[in-house]
């Protein structure tokens, strides 16, 4: 997918297109930004751009043999690394990829080593990369994509040029969902409202049952009014349920809870209720507004955000639910 088909990130894309046009793309890049905003798509578009046989204003044509092979993941000079089933990138696949960078590109102009979720590289794998990041082999460039760039070793960070990606707008998320994921416009809007600018979150919410997620989210928020720790732990147990919620389902609950806290802020401020994300559950919002003050809602928002980060860092679901219920 060329840059022009990527949704959002206009500034980053025009920077990259100019660099492709001039042949001045830095050899080591770190795409840093939230999960599910399209960093990996941009990395692929960049790999196409630097290898395209019919470049148009710094952007890949999308149809030449090279663009086509990259899109289908068949191009021998575009090497990708991604976390294994255990969620890590170990040293062996890294060594294997590096051993292939010792030669000139076979079919393209520039070899691209693209690393998805680069924060999953274990320490040995990161150390194995250092020398290549410092002195990239001729005609080779590295693109690391990460939602948690600060989890990378300082030495890796200092050898890469960081390009920051922000969250998508709600309209952009709707565009991606309707264009690429067969969402109806209404379903896309609903998911986008809660997705916090991330397509992957929207997709997770789309598959989770919103009504049940919202009921659990409301129960979790109401725990803020409980003084007794054991009562709060009982709420966590109830939210996790049986069979236990998956990581994705719990993340959906926390995100819905987070959107409810934003709605509480709207209600407490007496602002236009038309902007409520959970406008279709106005009685739930009003009930919670009676239980949680504006300050309590703000504190809950911060706690939920920290709970979500812990989940993204692979903390256990039960532990996160308990921590949130106690701290909220
Ligand atoms: Zn092309």
């Amino acid at each position: 997918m060329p840059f022009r088909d990527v949704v959002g990130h206009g500034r980053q894309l025009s920077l990259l297109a100019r660099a492709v046009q001039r042949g001045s793309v830095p050899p080591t890049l770190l795409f840093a930004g939230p999960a599910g905003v399209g960093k990996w798509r941009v990395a692929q578009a960049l790999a196409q751009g630097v290898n395209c046989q019919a470049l148009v204003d710094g952007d890949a044509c999308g149809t030449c043999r090279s663009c086509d092979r990259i899109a289908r993941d068949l191009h021998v000079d575009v090497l990708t690394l991604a976390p294994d089933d255990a969620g890590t990138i170990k040293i062996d696949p890294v060594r294997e990829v590096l051993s292939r960078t010792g030669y000139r590109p076979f079919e393209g102009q520039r070899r691209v080593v693209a690393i998805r979720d680069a924060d999953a590289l274990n320490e040995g794998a990161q150390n194995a990369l250092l020398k290549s990041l410092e002195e990239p082999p001729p005609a080779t460039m590295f693109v690391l994509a990460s939602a948690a760039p600060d989890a990378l070793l300082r030495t890796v960070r200092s050898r890469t040029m960081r390009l920051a990606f922000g969250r998508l707008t709600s309209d952009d998320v709707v565009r991606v969902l309707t264009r690429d994921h067969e969402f109806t416009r209404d379903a896309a809007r609903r998911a986008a409202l809660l997705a916090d600018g991330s397509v992957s979150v929207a997709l997770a919410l789309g598959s989770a049952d919103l009504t049940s997620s919202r009921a659990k989210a409301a129960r979790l928020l109401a725990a803020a009014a409980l003084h007794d720790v054991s009562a709060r732990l009982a709420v966590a147990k109830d939210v996790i349920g049986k069979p236990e919620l998956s990581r994705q389902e719990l993340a959906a609950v926390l995100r819905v809870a987070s959107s409810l806290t934003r709605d509480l802020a709207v209600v407490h401020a007496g602002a236009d209720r038309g902007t409520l994300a959970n406008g279709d559950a106005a009685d739930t919002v009003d009930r919670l507004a009676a239980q949680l003050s504006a300050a309590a809602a703000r504190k809950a928002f911060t706690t939920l955000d920290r709970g979500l980060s812990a989940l993204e860092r692979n903390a256990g679901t039960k532990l996160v639910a308990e921590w949130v219920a106690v701290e909220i």
Side-chain angles (χ1 to χ4, degrees):
M1 149 175 315
F3 293 144
R4 64 183 167 279
D5 292 335
V6 172
V7 174
H9 312 303
R11 188 182 62 82
Q12 292 82 348
L13 295 180
S14 62
L15 266 173
L16 289 170
R18 272 207 303 281
V20 169
Q21 183 76 22
R22 293 190 196 130
S24 62
V25 180
T28 57
L29 281 164
L30 172 59
F31 288 178
V37 299
K39 300 184 299 298
W40 189 245
R41 291 204 158 177
V42 176
Q44 282 178 315
L46 179 62
Q48 285 182 318
V50 296
N51 282 298
C52 178
Q53 292 150 6
L55 207 59
V56 192
D57 296 332
D59 196 6
C61 72
T63 51
C64 70
R65 177 183 150 84
S66 172
C67 283
D68 178 56
R69 285 174 68 79
I70 292 170
R72 291 193 288 138
D73 220 0
L74 295 172
H75 199 289
V76 296
D77 297 318
V78 177
L79 309 170
T80 59
L81 285 165
D84 58 20
D85 291 342
T88 41
I89 307 176
K90 300 199 178 75
I91 192 165
D92 287 341
V94 170
R95 283 202 176 121
E96 148 80 21
V97 159
L98 291 178
S99 73
R100 291 160 68 184
T101 62
Y103 310 93
R104 302 284 309 169
F106 291 104
E107 54 176 314
Q109 299 153 48
R110 200 133 184 223
R111 179 175 290 108
V112 180
V113 177
I115 309 180
R116 186 171 190 148
D117 299 325
D119 46 279
L121 288 157
N122 68 21
E123 198 173 333
Q126 291 189 55
N127 282 319
L129 265 177
L130 279 183
K131 190 169 170 297
S132 301
L133 292 178
E134 186 150 79
E135 281 180 70
T140 294
M141 55 178 282
F142 292 83
V143 183
L144 283 64
S146 172
D150 295 331
L152 288 162
L153 295 178
R154 192 181 46 78
T155 43
V156 168
R157 278 180 278 141
S158 68
R159 284 166 174 78
T160 49
M161 184 175 276
R162 186 186 289 224
L163 186 61
F165 287 76
R167 297 185 184 281
L168 295 172
T169 64
S170 188
D171 285 346
D172 284 343
V173 174
V174 170
R175 252 179 89 195
V176 177
L177 293 177
T178 50
R179 185 190 70 179
D180 302 341
H181 299 282
E182 295 175 354
F183 272 58
T184 63
R185 224 178 149 68
D186 272 356
R189 279 228 175 95
R190 237 179 5 251
L193 273 176
L194 302 174
D196 206 16
S198 160
V199 172
S200 54
V201 170
L203 291 174
L205 286 170
S207 60
D209 172 0
L210 180 61
T211 313
S212 133
S213 298
R214 190 149 55 198
K216 287 180 183 248
R219 241 173 292 162
L220 194 55
L221 282 174
L226 299 172
H227 296 292
D228 181 30
V229 171
S230 62
R232 288 179 175 230
L233 288 175
V235 169
K237 195 172 171 198
D238 189 33
V239 166
I240 283 285
K242 247 190 177 42
E244 292 189 0
L245 292 185
S246 68
R247 183 174 296 278
Q248 235 179 29
E249 288 165 335
L250 179 60
V253 171
L254 298 187
R255 286 190 193 282
V256 174
S258 183
S259 82
L260 282 166
T261 63
R262 279 191 299 248
D263 284 352
L264 295 185
V266 170
V267 172
H268 283 305
D272 173 15
R273 291 177 68 98
T275 62
L276 292 179
N278 298 278
D280 56 327
D283 45 342
T284 304
V285 174
D286 288 333
R287 183 166 44 78
L288 287 168
Q291 287 173 297
L292 272 74
S293 66
R298 273 196 301 277
K299 177 167 178 272
F301 179 80
T302 311
T303 304
L304 291 163
D305 195 46
R306 289 176 63 192
L308 274 164
S309 313
L311 265 190
E312 277 164 20
R313 289 193 309 269
N314 281 336
T317 48
K318 188 160 168 281
L319 191 72
V320 170
E322 287 177 349
W323 183 84
V324 170
V326 170
E327 289 292 315
I328 205 163

